[in-house]
Amino acid sequence: MAEAVERKFMQWVLQGDCRPGQAVNTSELARLFGTSTTAVREYLTRFSQVGLLKRRENSGWIFAGVTPDFAAEIYEIREMFELRSARRFVELAPDAPAWAELDAIAGEHRALLAEIDGRYRDFSRLDERLHRLIHDASRNRFIRDFYDVISIIFHYHYQWDKSDEKERNRVALLEHLDYIDALRSRDLRSIDETCRVHLRTARATLLRSIAVGPLGGVPAPGREPEAEADEAHPFAAELSGERNGAGFSPLPAGGERGEPAHCPSPDCPADAG
């Protein structure tokens, strides 16, 4: 039941049926989703923890939307989780089903590129499939749940800026293919580089869309979006394990280029899926 409500809520958001500041009617959503108001309230309560929904004094809800500050925070977490998941992905056994799915997704990327003029709006579906496949390899329910929020935030706001949608999606498809090739190579440095390049592009697109606003020109609240820097994210050294000291290291340093990743824990089987 919870998964069905989540799926329908995501579809409702991504269809553009809500705007920042708009009241969210649980009874209406229950009717649209074909479920109980209790199930909807339980989901909204959980979803509100990430800051996209706010409870009103009369126990109703308001869709809060995303400000540039919120986007910057969510990007940092997304980068950490994505890199962590990519490391776990390359630990999969060669015959794990995820590799065949990755190849299928790569093939669909190439087919879409060949027909980009007429099919560029199909990109969001492929984007969701690729990143969900990678996050699922984390074998961490918190990372998987977080990706649901990421999908809503990014794809919902991408709808606000249609000015260069075809070219934007073409660039993202090419970045995806580079990322997929890096995963296939199991080269940790290449994975780190191609992943960061793509996520920085996604962040820049999100910030531009927020600046445009939901009505195609009404600026969103908050500070102006930052210009996208060419250099790596300021946390890049910590995230890639290049600095000493405590902290999370999604991609372990020290291995030879092209060497398969190794599980950091002795009780973590290398071929686990």
Side-chain angles (χ1 to χ4, degrees), residues 25 70 84 90 104 121 124 137 159 190 205 214 218 232 238 260 262 271:
N25 187 310
F70 186 98
R84 168 72 177 183
V90 299
R121 290 189 177 91
S124 60
Q159 297 178 85
S190 181
T205 300
V218 179
E238 289 91 339
H262 297 288
D271 60 349

Side-chain angles (χ1 to χ4, degrees), residues 105 108-109 112 119-132 147 155 176:
I105 290 173
E108 292 187 40
H109 273 65
L112 182 53
R119 293 184 53 210
Y120 62 90
R121 290 189 177 91
D122 293 344
F123 169 72
S124 60
R125 177 182 58 84
L126 272 181
D127 183 72
E128 197 274 341
R129 279 182 60 195
L130 174 62
H131 290 289
R132 186 174 296 280
Y147 182 71
H155 289 290
H176 275 186

Side-chain angles (χ1 to χ4, degrees), residues 200-273:
R200 286 200 299 270
T201 300
R203 176 178 179 266
T205 300
L206 176 62
L207 290 174
R208 284 197 305 269
S209 297
I210 292 172
V212 168
L215 300 180
V218 179
R223 59 178 170 78
E224 291 298 315
E226 301 170 350
E228 193 62 26
D230 292 333
E231 65 271 14
H233 188 273
F235 293 163
E238 289 91 339
L239 292 175
S240 59
E242 294 172 359
R243 289 184 186 174
N244 295 325
F248 172 66
S249 174
L251 294 179
E256 293 297 325
R257 187 173 179 83
E259 179 182 344
H262 297 288
C263 183
S265 172
D267 59 354
C268 173
D271 60 349

Side-chain angles (χ1 to χ4, degrees), residues 4-23:
V5 173
E6 178 178 289
R7 184 170 59 253
K8 291 177 180 179
F9 181 77
M10 289 176 64
Q11 182 180 10
W12 179 72
V13 170
L14 295 177
Q15 285 176 340
D17 291 336
C18 55
R19 293 288 183 266
Q22 177 177 323

